[in-house]
Amino acid sequence: MKQQQFKITLGDDLRAKLDSSIALNQRSIAEEIRQRLEMSFDIQGDGHTLDLIYAILFLAHETMRDFGATWWGDERARSAFMAAIVDQVMSYPISPSDLAAKPLITLGTREQQASPEDPPEAIGRAIARNYRRRVRPLGLRSDEFDIRRFRQLMQNEEENED
């Protein structure tokens, strides 16, 4: 694939953020910009999910302001943060057309597949464990995270759904 160069102008604040990020992530400025652009395109297609991402960032910030601690550093802050996320998720209306029961996607071995009788909470915990098993090894910190590998995992999942 042919690569093209672009000349862009950045304000001082944005350039300072970018400089800080490339130092933290130990990437070139070009690679940092590429990864950030790829991430932005990954989330643009789903408005509710994009809104939830922004909400989570806001809720994390507000939790830190209210408790004087991060959600991952204090048990009370964590409980408040979880309640805020649940409340936010529940605020999104479900469209009547989405209420029709849809069959569960059958992936993995028979033992790994969810069944219609499984409670949603159990399926949700399994989804979270799958995230930790497949995605978190790509890096918990941003300097370890490989956006290309993440996108590849997501594309492989979408192909399996078709």
Side-chain angles (χ1 to χ4, degrees), residues 121-145:
E121 294 80 8
I123 296 170
R125 286 190 298 272
I127 291 168
R129 283 192 300 271
N130 191 39
Y131 168 82
R132 290 190 296 271
R133 180 178 60 82
R134 297 190 66 200
V135 177
R136 199 176 269 169
L138 298 177
L140 181 58
R141 296 187 351 232
S142 62
D143 62 327
E144 298 170 348
F145 189 80

Side-chain angles (χ1 to χ4, degrees), residues 14 17 23 37 40 56 70 78 85 87-88 92 96 104 137 140:
L14 187 55
K17 289 177 184 178
L37 276 172
S40 71
I56 288 171
T70 59
R78 180 193 312 251
I85 290 172
D87 189 77
Q88 182 62 31
Y92 297 105
L104 293 169
L140 181 58

Side-chain angles (χ1 to χ4, degrees), residues 3 5-6 9 13 22 33 42 48 56 86 96 105 114 116-117 121-122 134 138-139 142 151 160 162:
Q3 293 188 352
Q5 288 188 333
F6 294 92
T9 304
D13 288 347
I22 63 175
I33 291 170
D42 289 341
H48 286 322
I56 288 171
V86 167
I105 297 168
E117 297 83 32
E121 294 80 8
R134 297 190 66 200
L138 298 177
S142 62
R151 293 181 89 220
N160 289 334
D162 294 337

Side-chain angles (χ1 to χ4, degrees), residues 34-106:
R34 269 193 296 277
Q35 290 218 11
R36 286 177 175 271
L37 276 172
E38 286 182 12
M39 284 188 287
S40 71
F41 286 117
D42 289 341
I43 61 174
Q44 88 176 20
D46 179 349
H48 286 322
T49 303
L50 178 58
D51 183 74
L52 181 59
I53 290 167
Y54 284 125
I56 288 171
L57 292 170
F58 178 84
L59 298 173
H61 176 75
E62 291 297 299
T63 299
M64 188 170 65
R65 285 186 52 202
D66 286 353
F67 285 88
T70 59
W71 64 265
W72 67 89
D74 178 85
E75 195 55 47
R76 288 188 69 231
R78 180 193 312 251
S79 294
F81 183 61
M82 289 185 338
I85 290 172
V86 167
D87 189 77
Q88 182 62 31
V89 168
M90 297 305 291
S91 75
Y92 297 105
I94 295 177
S95 164
S97 63
D98 292 338
L99 291 177
K102 296 177 180 160
L104 293 169
I105 297 168
T106 54

